Amino acid sequence: MVVQGEKPQLIRKEVRDGKEVLVRHDGRLPDQLRPIRMEVSVLANADGSALVEYGGTRVLAAVYGPRESHPKFMALPDRALIRCRYHMAPFSTSERKSPAPTRREVELSKVIREALEVVVLTELFPRTTIDVYMEVLQSDGGTRTAAITAASLALADAGVPLRDLVAGVAVGKVDGVLVLDIDELEDNYAEADMPVAMAPSLGQIVLLQLNGVLTPEEFQKALELAKKGIMEIYQLQKKALRSKYAEARVEVTS
Amino acid sequence: MSITPWMQQIVPKLKKYTLETLLAKKVRLDGRRLDEFRSIQVQPGYIERAEGSALVRLGNTMVLAGVKMDIVAPFPDTPNEGVLMVHAEFVPLASPTFEPGPPDENAIELARLVDRSLREVRAVALDKLVLEPGKHVWRVFIDIYVLDHDGNLYDASMLASMAALMVTRIPAPVKTEEGYVVDRTRYTGLLPINHRVVSVTIAKLAGRLIVDPTFEEEQVADARLFIAVTDDGRIAGMQKTGMGAFTEQEVHQAVRIALAKSKILLSKLAETVEPYRKKLEEELQKLAAAPATTTAPPAPSEREAVETVEEAGIALEQETAERGE
């Protein structure tokens, strides 16, 4: 996070439809997501894969498995192991990022794995490993939440039985205003950044981090805002999966 | 790469059953209430050679935090601020599950949680640790040493780190032709602190929320929620950890519990660490008032107390490369 020069104006007032509203630097309202694009089965080799874009953030996820555990002594007798890697491409950031895993990536791999453990029915595949790889191709804020959204799509695409999909989004506090799906510019000046991921149908929060300072009241509102965004993303996820199966049906009938 | 823990200590089924059935009656295996901390002991200044230190005991959990300071070039994006760094070591003598070697994901997560909770509220006044803007600033290193693991390392480490910072004395910077060296035989003052931050970690076990889980309780728990709270009642950081989940309602309940229980930890700091900080402050004032010839306190030992800036500069470059954010 290298911040140079003057701080740009991130929140301004504007009149829209005769009402004065707060508008963000990219024209979004505080509770508005960036344009989101999702596609599944984008890789030929992987058992399941997905490409997810939140505005300028672009993440590719792939799943291999369930497959035999290597080394074998690690295999668990009653469930599958999940191996998870969140990684940023060297060219994904404004300054080149060393490809070696950073402490940040180690931590994020852990919290993402712990989120996915909630939904994957690992007990159905004892002695196996399910590998989940996430590559951030381009970073513009909210990469871990886009990664987890992509990872759950890739798991579904691989046919791994899930209790629910996982959808994630980051809420931030920028110039005192709570905003949904913060981008990198907002994050650089944010007072708080709170990534949240949920299994929406189960009503479970599977990932929750708060970097920054919020009052208890603000936290309550931020979580509410995150939930709203997650529900929208969840619908898009289901649509992305359905559109894949719709295509397959056309192939069969024609 | 993060892998499902596969070499965990096993909690016998019978013990798990006992834990869970007791919880249904709102009692815990060690007789505590659900929202009760174990006995808390804070011993500030445990390591005399460190600039600041504290030993914290939380029941059988024991964590030592040490603060060392040196002079380095600041990060390019914050030329007018000192540097804060947090490292955690899960030393193998602390638990049968700890292995020697570089910090694993758990140690990294712990260090980063403490780091963020202190950094985001500006608990340490880093802007007052500048010798020459853009050139020479103080670097504050917090090293967390887990000595005995009986659960809730987060809260013990957070408390030890905060206590250590509160009793940290800044050594004397000596200007040379090349830059600065540190004279650790003299101190110029106490580390400026803006806020006290503590954390309360709440575990979800058999559908109930409990405070300050033991190692056994952690093994059985679904998930934990780390919540850092400032002395003015704001939330300074949060993280869900463990393979389970929380509902929205449970998260809000956990926040309420954390806000209430943080007062116990903050008052512990006020009772045990604050008087020690006062004492150090008085000593420093007395030394400053006395004639220069008598100011030097006994040197710790024959080992060199002065470190060159060059060495520290190289170390920082490596750190910067590793930080890579």
Side-chain angles (χ1 to χ4, degrees):
Chain A
M1 197 205 311
V2 179
V3 182
Q4 265 154 358
E6 282 294 290
K7 178 178 177 287
Q9 195 189 357
L10 293 169
I11 303 279
R12 58 175 193 270
K13 281 181 181 155
E14 213 174 75
V15 178
R16 284 189 185 177
D17 302 328
K19 264 191 283 182
E20 193 176 82
V21 288
L22 296 174
V23 176
R24 292 152 77 177
H25 75 95
D26 57 357
R28 278 188 289 161
L29 297 172
D31 66 345
Q32 202 177 346
L33 294 167
R34 288 176 282 183
I36 291 182
R37 199 175 79 85
M38 295 178 194
E39 196 183 339
V40 294
S41 292
V42 290
L43 299 177
N45 266 320
D47 295 318
S49 59
L51 181 71
V52 169
E53 289 177 20
Y54 288 11
T57 289
R58 187 177 304 150
V59 184
L60 191 56
V63 168
Y64 284 89
R67 57 184 177 182
E68 199 172 353
S69 292
H70 281 291
K72 276 197 177 151
F73 63 82
M74 283 176 69
L76 293 175
D78 57 344
R79 52 161 293 172
L81 283 172
I82 297 181
R83 295 199 298 185
C84 208
R85 188 175 99 134
Y86 161 99
H87 185 247
M88 291 176 99
F91 44 75
S92 64
T93 47
S94 59
E95 304 225 355
R96 179 176 184 270
K97 185 220 150 265
S98 157
T102 59
R103 288 163 66 88
R104 173 178 175 275
E105 285 167 314
V106 171
E107 187 198 344
L108 294 191
S109 297
K110 178 180 186 276
V111 295
I112 291 172
R113 176 182 56 75
E114 290 177 335
L116 295 174
E117 302 261 13
V118 179
V119 295
V120 179
L121 286 152
T122 51
E123 59 269 35
L124 297 180
F125 305 99
R127 313 200 63 79
T128 67
T129 299
I130 300 169
D131 287 316
V132 183
Y133 301 121
M134 290 150 282
E135 289 292 334
V136 177
L137 302 180
Q138 186 167 275
S139 150
D140 189 12
T143 57
R144 83 196 71 180
T145 49
I148 202 164
T149 301
S152 86
L153 279 177
L155 281 164
D157 183 43
V160 175
L162 303 174
R163 293 182 176 86
D164 195 358
L165 290 170
V166 175
V169 76
V171 170
K173 184 182 167 194
V174 179
D175 288 344
V177 181
L178 291 173
V179 296
L180 184 62
D181 188 18
I182 64 169
D183 63 22
E184 190 170 286
L185 184 70
E186 289 174 325
D187 192 17
N188 285 345
Y189 297 97
E191 292 118 69
D193 165 29
M194 187 172 92
V196 185
M198 289 182 74
S201 292
L202 301 177
Q204 296 283 341
I205 297 166
V206 296
L207 182 149
L208 175 60
Q209 294 184 293
L210 168 63
N211 317 322
V213 191
L214 293 177
T215 65
E217 297 74 34
E218 282 168 341
F219 168 71
Q220 198 151 357
K221 281 184 198 147
L223 196 58
E224 205 54 53
L225 192 57
K227 203 172 137 192
K228 174 189 173 286
I230 284 169
M231 287 304 167
E232 287 177 37
I233 293 165
Y234 187 44
Q235 296 309 323
L236 294 172
Q237 279 180 305
K238 289 199 278 192
K239 212 171 118 189
L241 282 170
R242 281 206 188 98
S243 73
K244 182 207 161 190
Y245 290 112
E247 272 171 37
R249 196 176 59 204
V250 172
E251 266 173 44
V252 173
T253 50
S254 58
Chain B
M1 191 144 65
S2 175
I3 308 173
T4 309
W6 51 280
M7 263 207 11
Q8 279 192 308
Q9 256 189 323
I10 291 162
V11 179
K13 271 218 165 129
L14 189 62
K15 189 156 232 173
K16 181 172 188 264
Y17 175 76
T18 318
L19 260 165
E20 289 175 353
T21 41
L22 273 177
L23 273 185
K25 295 177 193 155
K26 302 203 171 182
V27 195
R28 290 160 79 172
L29 212 52
D30 52 10
R32 279 186 290 158
R33 291 189 312 274
L34 303 196
D35 64 347
E36 196 176 337
F37 266 97
R38 289 169 287 182
S39 73
I40 308 163
Q41 279 179 41
V42 185
Q43 200 176 328
Y46 183 77
I47 303 293
E48 290 91 353
R49 194 182 269 287
E51 270 76 84
S53 66
L55 180 72
V56 164
R57 286 172 213 263
L58 204 53
N60 286 331
T61 288
M62 184 155 58
V63 174
L64 176 61
V67 176
K68 292 297 286 178
M69 294 178 70
D70 54 9
I71 298 165
V72 295
F75 286 114
D77 53 334
T78 50
N80 295 311
E81 277 182 16
V83 174
L84 176 72
M85 287 197 154
V86 185
H87 271 265
E89 289 280 339
F90 287 8
V91 285
L93 56 77
S95 161
T97 58
F98 291 172
E99 300 272 347
D104 68 353
E105 60 178 26
N106 298 304
I108 289 174
E109 184 184 36
L110 172 84
R112 287 178 56 86
L113 279 177
V114 172
D115 182 302
R116 289 200 291 262
S117 307
L118 293 169
R119 186 183 303 278
E120 300 285 350
V121 276
R122 313 186 75 75
V124 179
L126 293 176
D127 52 326
K128 292 178 187 149
L129 296 179
V130 181
L131 296 167
E132 281 177 38
K135 283 189 181 155
H136 306 288
V137 300
W138 282 108
R139 172 167 63 174
V140 183
F141 249 117
I142 305 174
D143 280 285
I144 297 166
Y145 236 58
V146 175
L147 299 181
D148 214 347
H149 178 14
D150 188 22
N152 204 8
L153 296 180
Y154 294 155
D155 297 353
S157 303
M158 194 71 220
L159 194 62
S161 303
M162 193 67 235
L165 287 172
M166 284 167 68
V167 299
T168 294
R169 295 173 292 180
I170 304 176
V174 180
K175 194 161 169 53
T176 64
E177 274 175 28
E178 300 94 53
Y180 284 89
V181 289
V182 182
D183 178 2
R184 288 197 170 79
T185 59
R186 297 184 295 131
Y187 296 100
T188 57
L190 292 178
L191 191 70
I193 305 281
N194 291 328
H195 284 289
R196 276 98 174 116
V197 186
V198 293
S199 75
V200 179
T201 299
I202 298 188
K204 180 180 166 187
L205 210 168
R208 288 177 193 276
L209 301 182
I210 58 169
V211 165
D212 185 25
T214 62
F215 181 75
E216 259 172 3
E217 286 170 334
E218 283 182 358
Q219 295 300 299
V220 178
D222 300 325
R224 282 174 280 154
L225 194 59
F226 163 93
I227 303 171
V229 182
T230 62
D231 46 8
D232 52 1
R234 291 178 297 161
I235 306 168
M238 216 187 250
Q239 181 131 310
K240 187 225 98 177
T241 155
M243 305 205 286
F246 285 87
T247 64
E248 222 183 316
Q249 203 191 351
E250 285 164 348
V251 169
H252 291 310
Q253 196 190 337
V255 169
R256 279 196 297 276
I257 296 171
L259 288 170
K261 291 292 149 184
S262 66
K263 299 202 173 79
I264 292 174
L265 299 173
L266 286 166
S267 66
K268 201 79 201 173
L269 286 177
E271 281 163 26
T272 56
V273 184
E274 213 67 65
Y276 193 89
R277 185 178 162 87
K278 285 258 157 60
K279 199 185 87 190
L280 288 178
E281 203 164 22
E282 280 163 18
E283 274 176 20
L284 285 173
Q285 276 165 359
K286 231 181 270 169
L287 284 175
T293 46
T294 60
T295 51
S301 77
E302 67 284 351
R303 275 172 62 189
E304 50 168 353
V306 177
E307 194 186 326
T308 62
V309 182
E310 280 73 26
E311 274 170 20
I314 292 161
L316 178 68
E317 263 171 40
Q318 286 164 349
E319 294 286 344
T320 319
E322 196 202 0
R323 201 173 80 140
E325 286 178 49

